[in-house]
PDB file of all heavy atoms in Angstrom:
ATOM      1  N   ASP A  22       2.596   2.324  -5.318  1.00  0.00           N
ATOM      2  CA  ASP A  22       1.353   1.920  -5.985  1.00  0.00           C
ATOM      3  C   ASP A  22       1.009   3.056  -6.941  1.00  0.00           C
ATOM      4  O   ASP A  22       0.541   4.121  -6.513  1.00  0.00           O
ATOM      5  CB  ASP A  22       0.250   1.708  -4.951  1.00  0.00           C
ATOM      6  CG  ASP A  22      -1.116   1.415  -5.569  1.00  0.00           C
ATOM      7  OD1 ASP A  22      -1.184   1.231  -6.797  1.00  0.00           O
ATOM      8  OD2 ASP A  22      -2.107   1.378  -4.815  1.00  0.00           O
ATOM      9  N   LEU A  23       1.260   2.852  -8.221  1.00  0.00           N
ATOM     10  CA  LEU A  23       1.081   3.891  -9.227  1.00  0.00           C
ATOM     11  C   LEU A  23      -0.283   3.779  -9.893  1.00  0.00           C
ATOM     12  O   LEU A  23      -0.738   2.677 -10.182  1.00  0.00           O
ATOM     13  CB  LEU A  23       2.189   3.798 -10.281  1.00  0.00           C
ATOM     14  CG  LEU A  23       3.632   3.838  -9.758  1.00  0.00           C
ATOM     15  CD1 LEU A  23       4.631   3.760 -10.915  1.00  0.00           C
ATOM     16  CD2 LEU A  23       3.885   5.093  -8.921  1.00  0.00           C
ATOM     17  N   CYS A  24      -0.925   4.910 -10.132  1.00  0.00           N
ATOM     18  CA  CYS A  24      -2.320   4.950 -10.599  1.00  0.00           C
ATOM     19  C   CYS A  24      -3.205   4.292  -9.541  1.00  0.00           C
ATOM     20  O   CYS A  24      -3.951   3.343  -9.807  1.00  0.00           O
ATOM     21  CB  CYS A  24      -2.498   4.277 -11.951  1.00  0.00           C
ATOM     22  SG  CYS A  24      -1.439   4.916 -13.265  1.00  0.00           S
ATOM     23  N   SER A  25      -3.136   4.811  -8.332  1.00  0.00           N
ATOM     24  CA  SER A  25      -3.689   4.137  -7.151  1.00  0.00           C
ATOM     25  C   SER A  25      -5.200   4.034  -7.124  1.00  0.00           C
ATOM     26  O   SER A  25      -5.750   3.103  -6.533  1.00  0.00           O
ATOM     27  CB  SER A  25      -3.237   4.858  -5.873  1.00  0.00           C
ATOM     28  OG  SER A  25      -1.871   4.701  -5.665  1.00  0.00           O
ATOM     29  N   GLY A  26      -5.924   5.017  -7.692  1.00  0.00           N
ATOM     30  CA  GLY A  26      -7.375   4.979  -7.619  1.00  0.00           C
ATOM     31  C   GLY A  26      -7.857   5.041  -6.180  1.00  0.00           C
ATOM     32  O   GLY A  26      -7.533   5.960  -5.427  1.00  0.00           O
ATOM     33  N   THR A  27      -8.618   4.054  -5.757  1.00  0.00           N
ATOM     34  CA  THR A  27      -9.108   3.990  -4.376  1.00  0.00           C
ATOM     35  C   THR A  27      -7.992   3.737  -3.370  1.00  0.00           C
ATOM     36  O   THR A  27      -8.202   3.879  -2.165  1.00  0.00           O
ATOM     37  CB  THR A  27     -10.138   2.861  -4.204  1.00  0.00           C
ATOM     38  OG1 THR A  27      -9.513   1.616  -4.544  1.00  0.00           O
ATOM     39  CG2 THR A  27     -11.360   3.086  -5.077  1.00  0.00           C
ATOM     40  N   GLY A  28      -6.826   3.322  -3.865  1.00  0.00           N
ATOM     41  CA  GLY A  28      -5.744   2.923  -2.970  1.00  0.00           C
ATOM     42  C   GLY A  28      -5.829   1.474  -2.549  1.00  0.00           C
ATOM     43  O   GLY A  28      -5.086   1.029  -1.668  1.00  0.00           O
ATOM     44  N   CYS A  29      -6.711   0.704  -3.204  1.00  0.00           N
ATOM     45  CA  CYS A  29      -6.981  -0.655  -2.728  1.00  0.00           C
ATOM     46  C   CYS A  29      -5.736  -1.540  -2.748  1.00  0.00           C
ATOM     47  O   CYS A  29      -5.548  -2.368  -1.842  1.00  0.00           O
ATOM     48  CB  CYS A  29      -8.120  -1.291  -3.510  1.00  0.00           C
ATOM     49  SG  CYS A  29      -7.843  -1.471  -5.282  1.00  0.00           S
ATOM     50  N   ILE A  30      -4.872  -1.365  -3.742  1.00  0.00           N
ATOM     51  CA  ILE A  30      -3.679  -2.220  -3.801  1.00  0.00           C
ATOM     52  C   ILE A  30      -2.696  -1.847  -2.704  1.00  0.00           C
ATOM     53  O   ILE A  30      -2.327  -2.667  -1.853  1.00  0.00           O
ATOM     54  CB  ILE A  30      -2.996  -2.128  -5.177  1.00  0.00           C
ATOM     55  CG1 ILE A  30      -3.922  -2.622  -6.289  1.00  0.00           C
ATOM     56  CG2 ILE A  30      -1.707  -2.951  -5.180  1.00  0.00           C
ATOM     57  CD1 ILE A  30      -3.363  -2.425  -7.689  1.00  0.00           C
ATOM     58  N   GLY A  31      -2.256  -0.599  -2.719  1.00  0.00           N
ATOM     59  CA  GLY A  31      -1.229  -0.179  -1.770  1.00  0.00           C
ATOM     60  C   GLY A  31      -1.667  -0.287  -0.325  1.00  0.00           C
ATOM     61  O   GLY A  31      -0.898  -0.724   0.542  1.00  0.00           O
ATOM     62  N   ILE A  32      -2.908   0.108  -0.039  1.00  0.00           N
ATOM     63  CA  ILE A  32      -3.399   0.035   1.339  1.00  0.00           C
ATOM     64  C   ILE A  32      -3.520  -1.421   1.791  1.00  0.00           C
ATOM     65  O   ILE A  32      -3.167  -1.765   2.929  1.00  0.00           O
ATOM     66  CB  ILE A  32      -4.741   0.776   1.474  1.00  0.00           C
ATOM     67  CG1 ILE A  32      -4.519   2.282   1.286  1.00  0.00           C
ATOM     68  CG2 ILE A  32      -5.375   0.502   2.830  1.00  0.00           C
ATOM     69  CD1 ILE A  32      -5.796   3.107   1.253  1.00  0.00           C
ATOM     70  N   SER A  33      -3.997  -2.290   0.905  1.00  0.00           N
ATOM     71  CA  SER A  33      -4.096  -3.713   1.272  1.00  0.00           C
ATOM     72  C   SER A  33      -2.723  -4.308   1.550  1.00  0.00           C
ATOM     73  O   SER A  33      -2.570  -5.119   2.471  1.00  0.00           O
ATOM     74  CB  SER A  33      -4.792  -4.493   0.145  1.00  0.00           C
ATOM     75  OG  SER A  33      -6.129  -4.077  -0.016  1.00  0.00           O
ATOM     76  N   LEU A  34      -1.731  -3.914   0.751  1.00  0.00           N
ATOM     77  CA  LEU A  34      -0.372  -4.405   1.004  1.00  0.00           C
ATOM     78  C   LEU A  34       0.130  -3.922   2.361  1.00  0.00           C
ATOM     79  O   LEU A  34       0.730  -4.689   3.123  1.00  0.00           O
ATOM     80  CB  LEU A  34       0.564  -3.931  -0.110  1.00  0.00           C
ATOM     81  CG  LEU A  34       0.327  -4.519  -1.502  1.00  0.00           C
ATOM     82  CD1 LEU A  34       1.275  -3.887  -2.517  1.00  0.00           C
ATOM     83  CD2 LEU A  34       0.500  -6.039  -1.502  1.00  0.00           C
ATOM     84  N   LYS A  35      -0.117  -2.665   2.665  1.00  0.00           N
ATOM     85  CA  LYS A  35       0.327  -2.109   3.949  1.00  0.00           C
ATOM     86  C   LYS A  35      -0.385  -2.777   5.121  1.00  0.00           C
ATOM     87  O   LYS A  35       0.238  -3.084   6.143  1.00  0.00           O
ATOM     88  CB  LYS A  35       0.078  -0.601   3.973  1.00  0.00           C
ATOM     89  CG  LYS A  35       0.477   0.090   5.276  1.00  0.00           C
ATOM     90  CD  LYS A  35       1.977   0.063   5.488  1.00  0.00           C
ATOM     91  CE  LYS A  35       2.373   0.892   6.713  1.00  0.00           C
ATOM     92  NZ  LYS A  35       3.843   0.884   6.942  1.00  0.00           N
ATOM     93  N   LYS A  36      -1.682  -3.010   4.994  1.00  0.00           N
ATOM     94  CA  LYS A  36      -2.439  -3.650   6.075  1.00  0.00           C
ATOM     95  C   LYS A  36      -1.977  -5.086   6.286  1.00  0.00           C
ATOM     96  O   LYS A  36      -1.960  -5.586   7.410  1.00  0.00           O
ATOM     97  CB  LYS A  36      -3.936  -3.636   5.741  1.00  0.00           C
ATOM     98  CG  LYS A  36      -4.550  -2.251   5.673  1.00  0.00           C
ATOM     99  CD  LYS A  36      -4.675  -1.576   7.023  1.00  0.00           C
ATOM    100  CE  LYS A  36      -5.762  -2.200   7.858  1.00  0.00           C
ATOM    101  NZ  LYS A  36      -5.966  -1.463   9.130  1.00  0.00           N
ATOM    102  N   THR A  37      -1.607  -5.758   5.198  1.00  0.00           N
ATOM    103  CA  THR A  37      -1.181  -7.151   5.289  1.00  0.00           C
ATOM    104  C   THR A  37       0.258  -7.271   5.772  1.00  0.00           C
ATOM    105  O   THR A  37       0.584  -8.164   6.573  1.00  0.00           O
ATOM    106  CB  THR A  37      -1.325  -7.834   3.916  1.00  0.00           C
ATOM    107  OG1 THR A  37      -2.668  -7.679   3.445  1.00  0.00           O
ATOM    108  CG2 THR A  37      -0.999  -9.321   4.017  1.00  0.00           C
ATOM    109  N   LEU A  38       1.118  -6.367   5.292  1.00  0.00           N
ATOM    110  CA  LEU A  38       2.538  -6.376   5.666  1.00  0.00           C
ATOM    111  C   LEU A  38       2.915  -4.990   6.183  1.00  0.00           C
ATOM    112  O   LEU A  38       3.427  -4.143   5.446  1.00  0.00           O
ATOM    113  CB  LEU A  38       3.396  -6.754   4.452  1.00  0.00           C
ATOM    114  CG  LEU A  38       3.143  -8.142   3.842  1.00  0.00           C
ATOM    115  CD1 LEU A  38       3.928  -8.298   2.550  1.00  0.00           C
ATOM    116  CD2 LEU A  38       3.509  -9.240   4.828  1.00  0.00           C
ATOM    117  N   PRO A  39       2.661  -4.726   7.465  1.00  0.00           N
ATOM    118  CA  PRO A  39       2.811  -3.372   8.018  1.00  0.00           C
ATOM    119  C   PRO A  39       4.221  -2.787   7.934  1.00  0.00           C
ATOM    120  O   PRO A  39       4.378  -1.562   8.035  1.00  0.00           O
ATOM    121  CB  PRO A  39       2.379  -3.538   9.483  1.00  0.00           C
ATOM    122  CG  PRO A  39       1.510  -4.754   9.494  1.00  0.00           C
ATOM    123  CD  PRO A  39       2.087  -5.660   8.457  1.00  0.00           C
ATOM    124  N   LEU A  40       5.246  -3.615   7.754  1.00  0.00           N
ATOM    125  CA  LEU A  40       6.612  -3.098   7.705  1.00  0.00           C
ATOM    126  C   LEU A  40       6.961  -2.477   6.350  1.00  0.00           C
ATOM    127  O   LEU A  40       8.019  -1.868   6.208  1.00  0.00           O
ATOM    128  CB  LEU A  40       7.612  -4.200   8.040  1.00  0.00           C
ATOM    129  CG  LEU A  40       7.580  -4.720   9.484  1.00  0.00           C
ATOM    130  CD1 LEU A  40       8.620  -5.818   9.683  1.00  0.00           C
ATOM    131  CD2 LEU A  40       7.801  -3.596  10.480  1.00  0.00           C
ATOM    132  N   LEU A  41       6.084  -2.624   5.367  1.00  0.00           N
ATOM    133  CA  LEU A  41       6.332  -2.005   4.077  1.00  0.00           C
ATOM    134  C   LEU A  41       6.195  -0.481   4.175  1.00  0.00           C
ATOM    135  O   LEU A  41       5.358   0.031   4.916  1.00  0.00           O
ATOM    136  CB  LEU A  41       5.324  -2.501   3.036  1.00  0.00           C
ATOM    137  CG  LEU A  41       5.367  -3.975   2.643  1.00  0.00           C
ATOM    138  CD1 LEU A  41       4.245  -4.267   1.646  1.00  0.00           C
ATOM    139  CD2 LEU A  41       6.713  -4.348   2.051  1.00  0.00           C
ATOM    140  N   ASP A  42       7.033   0.232   3.435  1.00  0.00           N
ATOM    141  CA  ASP A  42       6.868   1.677   3.262  1.00  0.00           C
ATOM    142  C   ASP A  42       6.152   1.890   1.931  1.00  0.00           C
ATOM    143  O   ASP A  42       6.739   1.704   0.864  1.00  0.00           O
ATOM    144  CB  ASP A  42       8.224   2.379   3.253  1.00  0.00           C
ATOM    145  CG  ASP A  42       8.916   2.312   4.598  1.00  0.00           C
ATOM    146  OD1 ASP A  42       8.218   2.403   5.627  1.00  0.00           O
ATOM    147  OD2 ASP A  42      10.153   2.164   4.619  1.00  0.00           O
ATOM    148  N   VAL A  43       4.877   2.269   2.010  1.00  0.00           N
ATOM    149  CA  VAL A  43       4.031   2.343   0.819  1.00  0.00           C
ATOM    150  C   VAL A  43       3.737   3.794   0.462  1.00  0.00           C
ATOM    151  O   VAL A  43       3.401   4.605   1.332  1.00  0.00           O
ATOM    152  CB  VAL A  43       2.710   1.582   1.044  1.00  0.00           C
ATOM    153  CG1 VAL A  43       1.787   1.725  -0.165  1.00  0.00           C
ATOM    154  CG2 VAL A  43       2.977   0.104   1.332  1.00  0.00           C
ATOM    155  N   TYR A  44       3.847   4.101  -0.836  1.00  0.00           N
ATOM    156  CA  TYR A  44       3.503   5.417  -1.366  1.00  0.00           C
ATOM    157  C   TYR A  44       2.442   5.236  -2.445  1.00  0.00           C
ATOM    158  O   TYR A  44       2.594   4.383  -3.335  1.00  0.00           O
ATOM    159  CB  TYR A  44       4.733   6.103  -1.969  1.00  0.00           C
ATOM    160  CG  TYR A  44       5.812   6.433  -0.965  1.00  0.00           C
ATOM    161  CD1 TYR A  44       6.734   5.456  -0.569  1.00  0.00           C
ATOM    162  CD2 TYR A  44       5.917   7.703  -0.422  1.00  0.00           C
ATOM    163  CE1 TYR A  44       7.724   5.747   0.358  1.00  0.00           C
ATOM    164  CE2 TYR A  44       6.925   8.014   0.503  1.00  0.00           C
ATOM    165  CZ  TYR A  44       7.815   7.031   0.889  1.00  0.00           C
ATOM    166  OH  TYR A  44       8.806   7.321   1.797  1.00  0.00           O
ATOM    167  N   LEU A  45       1.383   6.043  -2.369  1.00  0.00           N
ATOM    168  CA  LEU A  45       0.291   5.976  -3.331  1.00  0.00           C
ATOM    169  C   LEU A  45       0.370   7.183  -4.259  1.00  0.00           C
ATOM    170  O   LEU A  45       0.443   8.321  -3.789  1.00  0.00           O
ATOM    171  CB  LEU A  45      -1.059   5.984  -2.608  1.00  0.00           C
ATOM    172  CG  LEU A  45      -1.233   4.985  -1.459  1.00  0.00           C
ATOM    173  CD1 LEU A  45      -2.569   5.216  -0.764  1.00  0.00           C
ATOM    174  CD2 LEU A  45      -1.128   3.554  -1.961  1.00  0.00           C
TER     175      LEU A  45
END
């Protein structure tokens, strides 16, 4: 998640699909 800001995109993806490896 590039230019993450609050992290709303990357964190929401991780919460919805926990098996993802997410970097903010």
Side-chain angles (χ1 to χ4, degrees):
D22 174 8
L23 305 181
C24 305
S25 292
T27 60
C29 61
I30 298 174
I32 292 174
S33 295
L34 293 176
K35 179 67 174 180
K36 295 289 288 185
T37 305
L38 299 173
L40 293 180
L41 295 177
D42 293 323
V43 177
Y44 295 83
L45 310 174

